[in-house]
Amino acid sequence: MQSKKSQTRPLGPQRAGRVKPTPEPVVEASDDFDVIVKEPQSELILKDKHSNTPYMYFTEKDLSRILKNLDVLRSEVYPSEHNQEESERKLPNFPSVCLIGLGRCGSNIALDVASLVHNARNFYLTEFNHEQKQVKEKEARPVKWIQRSLKLQQKKIVKPVFLIEPLVMLGDLDKDIEGRIRFSSKGIDNDFLREYNKLKIMDLSEVHAGGAGNAPILGQYLAKIILNKDTEHFSNSDWKFIHSYLIDSCGIKANQSRLYFYIFSAGGGTGSGMASEFGLAQQYSYMSKTFDIRPEKELVSQNQSFVFEPIFTSGICILPNITDQGVEMSEALHINAGRLLCKYLSEEWNFSYNMDNEDSTSENVMRRIRPWNSMMLISNDIMRYAEQNDSDGGIQHIDVNAMEKHANQYISQQIFNILTAQAVTTDYDENYFRRAGIDIGETIRLDANDLFMSLAGPVAIAYAESVVGDGSQGGEGKLKLGNGEQLMLDIDDLFYRSIDLPHYNRQTQAIEGVSLLPVESERYREALRQYKESNYNAKHLADLHFFKNCSSVVSIISLPKDYKLSYMDLNKLKMHLNSLFPNTTLKRYALVIGASANLSLTTLIAKSPCLSDDFLTLIVAYIKRCFAKDDHRFDDSLDKAIIDFIRAPVFNESKLEAMLVENENPAKILDTNWYAIKPMYEKKYRELIQDSKKFTSINDIRLTLDCVKKSIHYLREIYRHKISKTKIISLNDNFSFSEALSETKPAKPKKSKKEDIKEDD
């Protein structure tokens, strides 16, 4: 149940039998209260309709209904014919990873990732079954018995083993999203949609079927309608199953998915507006469970626990082109992306750093949620840099659609490598590792809690890969070239290529490089040149804020089966990371074996990407267009002022207030009559959610001057990030080593007068 937002003081929490005094009595749940998480018999945190918490997301309160919905979805993900032989075994688990593609760009990329892992897995299993069939045809039983008895093994063959197939949710404010998805998948595999049972389409056309008009505030408002509406009142019956999986059950025992990746374009309206709202609804549901304190008797009787398993959620955000001289980009794309970044930084500041109010009550915590644990940034300029670095000119002559496909490939590569580091044994059948010949003990994986603790805020990705030989053929530590020649693996070059400008690797057919440039491309190209020519001396790069102010890095090394990475190479890699990221407080490594045919390196760089040129340019573009007063919208005074605000020892908020208005002006993006559009969408809200107490005006979701201040506070915090190296401290300052040493030696016959004086000193 939801309620209307108001400005009066919220009720205190009802926890552990203790109720904070409030102006209104705490009563049973009714329509006047917001219910965060509810079970019929549970003690519940209730929110009065006058609470100033701005979220009113619908959450299914009946646990039995949630479990029923999950069972229906599970039966579709794992059709019964696949489980007939195991009918007496427990129900299969949901995949540990879920991808949520929102908007046209996000849904296309999520579809690409799904097809990548599906086709790769099918290829491996088909190849394995074909080999097994050949073995059965060629070998008689006595021969196989001898081989087993003498432990004779056949010649090893290197094959990639793809460990995980994620659950994929695709959503768009489009009348015919399913038709578009089917059309998009034609180039992939005609039977892909029919065979990939883990792909689910969120048909939201009954709420809106005409897109968001390239305005994120409209996409956000429509998402709010979708997420505030009771799922039982949707004509699309699948939505309640998806909602129970994505929102109601995140973190509970019955839903084993622990990692959620939201993929969307920041420059559009639908994905940019919907993604953060969906993320907030999931976080709202998940965080509220931490305050749901119930008697132990009740938990035992229900045999289902709502809490507590950590989940990790990340937005994967595609930023628009900014500096491409060959293409004139729409300014609206930059403004839309800037709005998303400004909104996320203000939410991240509230959640992670804002210490103005350390009240840990549920109301206070719930007002400070952010949509994701981290937001990974990938620039759409990738293909432009790849063009410039393609000396043979091959990429320059492909059409626009093919370029978009290559950019999607880069994004898919990154998601895929992150997914492989999350694979757990429940993601595949029990014979999968045995068939692959992999020892689970050889694989170090990152679970949800590792990522939760390691990655927060904006994140950039560095990526490179190399072809390697089969260790069984004497190729350990060697590159296998096309002409048959083998060279030693150059780990220095691999690391360099991962942080280089995006480029196309013809040998591996992969796009490598960093997903977001630290500074403008020509300046970065020159810094890289000096870095390489100085034998990878980090002093040429380490002063860039992108590297210097990075608080944590996560490196994922993916190796082919049977390939052994030498200890020296691994040590070199760690040395490069230590020297290039001098102020990291946390470094995490994952070693994944058998997930790919090539050796690949993925490095996730946390927080400092918000200080990159592209990131700051997009935020300032939005603030100037939608907040700035008078001439500040057109000259560079605000640009310079924001740089000063970040650098200055003290943040002069009054100077910022003099330059900006109190609320964003959406008309500056739409360039149309905002006051005519606003009532149209609010009427849609009233028609679809008829309870007047649950109404939210579109004015209530506008960003405010306070959001701009908080985003600048976040930038200031990261700009000042540094660490002091651990130094040994001692209480034994007066301890004399010479005295201690003399006690261990035989006493000398006699000391000279000079020595006696020195000793007294």
Side-chain angles (χ1 to χ4, degrees):
M1 298 180 188
Q2 321 301 330
S3 68
K4 187 177 177 181
K5 171 186 170 185
S6 182
Q7 298 300 319
T8 56
R9 189 167 67 90
L11 286 175
Q14 182 178 351
R15 295 178 60 190
R18 188 178 50 164
V19 181
K20 190 175 178 179
T22 60
E24 299 181 25
V26 175
V27 297
E28 246 178 71
S30 70
D31 288 342
D32 290 341
F33 288 84
D34 281 341
V35 178
I36 302 173
V37 173
K38 184 179 186 299
E39 281 185 78
Q41 299 84 15
S42 66
E43 285 191 17
L44 192 59
I45 294 177
L46 303 177
K47 288 186 168 298
D48 184 72
K49 66 180 180 180
H50 301 300
S51 170
N52 61 357
T53 301
Y55 312 111
M56 297 188 297
Y57 303 114
F58 170 80
T59 302
E60 177 57 62
K61 55 189 176 291
D62 187 343
L63 178 58
S64 61
R65 188 177 295 173
I66 293 173
L67 298 178
K68 182 179 178 182
N69 289 342
L70 289 179
D71 286 341
V72 173
L73 183 64
R74 186 184 286 106
S75 67
E76 294 175 357
V77 171
Y78 300 99
S80 57
E81 60 264 27
H82 291 179
N83 296 315
Q84 284 177 352
E85 296 179 2
E86 304 176 1
S87 56
E88 295 183 0
R89 298 183 61 185
K90 64 180 182 179
L91 291 172
N93 292 328
F94 284 108
S96 61
V97 177
C98 176
L99 305 182
I100 303 103
L102 296 172
R104 180 176 294 271
C105 178
S107 56
N108 284 341
I109 292 170
L111 189 68
D112 284 348
V113 178
S115 63
L116 175 70
V117 295
H118 175 71
N119 291 337
R121 186 174 176 126
N122 277 355
F123 173 79
Y124 167 74
L125 292 177
T126 301
E127 186 183 45
F128 173 79
N129 291 332
H130 178 66
E131 287 180 1
Q132 290 291 90
K133 186 176 180 181
Q134 285 184 330
V135 169
K136 287 179 180 178
E137 289 174 353
K138 291 180 180 179
E139 295 179 351
R141 286 185 180 179
V143 176
K144 288 192 287 184
W145 181 86
I146 292 172
Q147 285 183 336
R148 285 198 306 269
S149 300
L150 301 179
K151 297 182 179 179
L152 300 176
Q153 296 190 9
Q154 297 177 0
K155 182 180 178 181
K156 294 181 180 179
I157 301 173
V158 175
K159 297 184 296 290
V161 180
F162 298 91
L163 303 178
I164 189 168
E165 280 188 335
L167 195 59
V168 180
M169 305 286 185
L170 307 180
D172 195 5
L173 297 173
D174 191 342
K175 185 184 295 184
D176 187 25
I177 179 175
E178 187 164 355
R180 178 174 65 78
I181 293 300
R182 291 188 183 281
F183 179 79
S184 299
S185 67
K186 280 185 177 179
I188 301 170
D189 185 345
N190 290 330
D191 298 324
F192 171 68
L193 287 183
R194 180 174 56 81
E195 292 180 357
Y196 197 79
N197 297 312
K198 297 181 181 72
L199 178 68
K200 295 297 170 187
I201 295 175
M202 296 184 280
D203 186 352
L204 308 171
S205 58
E206 66 183 272
V207 173
H208 192 77
N214 203 38
I217 192 169
L218 298 183
Q220 183 184 348
Y221 193 63
L222 291 166
K224 191 172 281 291
I225 296 174
I226 293 165
L227 294 164
N228 288 356
K229 184 179 178 183
D230 189 328
T231 56
E232 293 295 332
H233 296 158
F234 274 79
S235 59
N236 179 12
S237 59
D238 286 344
W239 171 242
K240 64 183 177 183
F241 308 133
I242 294 172
H243 189 278
S244 282
Y245 166 79
L246 198 60
I247 308 294
D248 304 326
S249 65
C250 56
I252 74 170
K253 185 178 177 181
N255 180 358
Q256 299 81 21
S257 297
R258 295 291 175 254
L259 294 108
Y260 299 85
F261 295 93
Y262 292 77
I263 309 167
F264 57 93
S265 169
T270 300
S272 184
M274 287 179 67
S276 65
E277 201 69 21
F278 269 68
L280 282 170
Q282 186 181 53
Q283 287 291 310
Y284 186 76
S285 173
Y286 178 74
M287 292 293 292
S288 64
K289 295 182 183 71
T290 66
F291 295 99
D292 183 19
I293 309 300
R294 290 169 291 158
E296 186 177 348
K297 258 191 321 188
E298 201 173 302
L299 293 174
V300 173
S301 64
Q302 290 170 355
N303 198 27
Q304 275 292 341
S305 173
F306 256 116
V307 264
F308 189 75
E309 288 291 337
I311 67 169
F312 175 80
T313 66
S314 177
I316 297 181
C317 171
I318 317 304
L319 299 178
N321 301 70
I322 297 179
T323 57
D324 190 352
Q325 303 299 322
V327 180
E328 186 65 31
M329 297 299 296
S330 168
E331 187 191 6
L333 299 182
H334 300 156
I335 297 168
N336 291 348
R339 182 184 191 272
L340 175 84
L341 301 180
C342 183
K343 180 176 183 291
Y344 179 69
L345 286 195
S346 67
E347 291 164 334
E348 185 63 30
W349 167 259
N350 249 357
F351 186 86
S352 299
Y353 293 106
N354 190 357
M355 297 302 172
D356 291 344
N357 184 1
E358 295 191 44
D359 180 11
S360 61
T361 60
S362 61
E363 285 79 6
N364 182 55
V365 172
M366 299 309 294
R367 283 195 298 270
R368 295 167 59 152
I369 59 174
R370 78 289 197 232
W372 315 288
N373 299 93
S374 71
M375 181 167 67
M376 298 181 188
L377 305 169
I378 300 178
S379 172
N380 225 0
D381 279 332
I382 283 171
M383 283 314 300
R384 179 168 67 87
Y385 301 130
E387 275 185 36
Q388 295 172 354
N389 285 280
D390 181 30
S391 57
D392 296 338
I395 292 182
Q396 296 180 31
H397 301 295
I398 62 178
D399 59 28
V400 176
N401 290 331
M403 286 182 66
E404 181 181 341
K405 199 73 176 173
H406 278 73
N408 287 359
Q409 176 193 329
Y410 176 87
I411 297 159
S412 300
Q413 288 170 184
Q414 312 321 317
I415 298 171
F416 180 79
N417 278 279
I418 295 168
L419 296 190
T420 58
Q422 322 307 327
V424 295
T425 52
T426 54
D427 287 325
Y428 33 83
D429 64 81
E430 63 180 16
N431 294 321
Y432 203 74
F433 264 125
R434 180 182 59 78
R435 292 173 176 176
I438 293 177
D439 179 3
I440 187 66
E442 293 180 345
T443 298
I444 304 169
R445 56 176 293 272
L446 295 171
D447 60 22
N449 206 36
D450 288 326
L451 293 176
F452 181 88
M453 300 300 292
S454 306
L455 296 179
V459 172
I461 303 169
Y463 178 76
E465 65 178 66
S466 294
V467 178
V468 292
D470 180 5
S472 65
Q473 298 172 344
E476 181 176 336
K478 295 183 180 180
L479 280 166
K480 187 168 60 179
L481 304 179
N483 58 6
E485 182 184 356
Q486 290 193 351
L487 298 174
M488 292 298 294
L489 172 65
D490 188 344
I491 200 73
D492 300 323
D493 181 63
L494 179 71
F495 182 78
Y496 173 80
R497 284 186 281 117
S498 73
I499 61 171
D500 194 6
L501 278 81
H503 55 275
Y504 190 69
N505 186 329
R506 293 185 173 279
Q507 192 179 23
T508 62
Q509 305 295 300
I511 299 170
E512 302 175 333
V514 69
S515 65
L516 184 71
L517 297 191
V519 289
E520 189 272 328
S521 59
E522 290 306 314
R523 292 175 61 195
Y524 190 51
R525 199 187 305 273
E526 175 60 22
L528 284 169
R529 184 188 65 77
Q530 295 177 9
Y531 174 66
K532 189 171 185 179
E533 289 179 355
S534 64
N535 195 25
Y536 308 105
N537 189 332
K539 72 177 184 180
H540 299 290
L541 293 175
D543 283 339
L544 294 174
H545 294 296
F546 188 85
F547 301 112
K548 182 173 68 174
N549 299 95
C550 173
S551 63
S552 65
V553 293
V554 175
S555 283
I556 302 167
I557 306 161
S558 182
L559 303 174
K561 185 164 68 80
D562 297 324
Y563 180 83
K564 303 296 183 184
L565 184 67
S566 74
Y567 175 78
M568 292 299 293
D569 283 340
L570 190 59
N571 196 44
K572 274 187 182 180
L573 179 61
K574 290 183 178 181
M575 288 175 61
H576 282 306
L577 289 169
N578 288 333
S579 59
L580 196 57
F581 300 97
N583 291 313
T584 52
T585 52
L586 183 66
K587 293 184 180 73
R588 294 285 294 160
Y589 302 93
L591 189 64
V592 183
I593 298 174
S596 63
N598 297 327
L599 183 150
S600 68
L601 170 66
T602 301
T603 304
L604 306 175
I605 303 160
K607 294 185 181 177
S608 59
C610 69
L611 301 178
S612 68
D613 289 5
D614 285 6
F615 195 102
L616 292 175
T617 299
L618 292 171
I619 278 194
V620 173
Y622 163 69
I623 296 172
K624 286 178 68 172
R625 185 65 181 263
C626 297
F627 279 95
K629 296 177 181 176
D630 306 324
D631 290 340
H632 295 306
R633 287 192 292 131
F634 308 107
D635 60 26
D636 62 354
S637 58
L638 187 58
D639 305 42
K640 294 176 179 178
I642 289 180
I643 296 298
D644 289 340
F645 293 147
I646 296 171
R647 288 176 171 169
V650 178
F651 181 14
N652 187 349
E653 294 190 14
S654 60
K655 183 178 178 181
L656 180 68
E657 291 167 358
M659 304 174 81
L660 306 182
V661 296
E662 185 62 32
N663 295 287
E664 71 169 328
N665 185 352
K668 299 300 181 181
I669 296 178
L670 297 170
D671 280 334
T672 187
N673 188 348
W674 169 248
Y675 299 101
I677 291 178
K678 177 178 172 290
M680 291 167 50
Y681 282 84
E682 290 186 347
K683 179 174 174 58
K684 184 187 289 285
Y685 196 114
R686 293 182 189 277
E687 288 177 344
L688 293 170
I689 304 176
Q690 297 182 357
D691 187 344
S692 61
K693 295 192 293 294
K694 299 177 183 178
F695 175 73
T696 297
S697 169
I698 200 168
N699 281 333
D700 294 338
I701 66 170
R702 288 184 298 170
L703 299 193
T704 64
L705 176 59
D706 194 46
C707 294
V708 177
K709 289 179 183 177
K710 289 174 181 176
S711 64
I712 293 175
H713 276 296
Y714 186 88
L715 293 168
R716 287 173 55 83
E717 181 73 24
I718 306 306
Y719 180 78
R720 283 160 178 75
H721 172 75
K722 59 184 178 180
I723 60 173
S724 58
K725 299 297 182 183
T726 304
K727 296 179 181 179
I728 295 178
I729 61 173
S730 175
L731 291 171
N732 299 296
D733 291 341
N734 296 324
F735 176 74
S736 171
F737 176 73
S738 59
E739 289 180 6
L741 190 63
S742 65
E743 290 177 5
T744 63
K745 294 181 179 180
K748 294 182 180 179
K750 189 177 181 182
K751 293 182 181 178
S752 67
K753 187 175 182 182
K754 187 176 180 181
E755 286 177 333
D756 290 336
I757 294 171
K758 186 175 182 181
E759 188 178 67
D760 291 338
D761 289 340

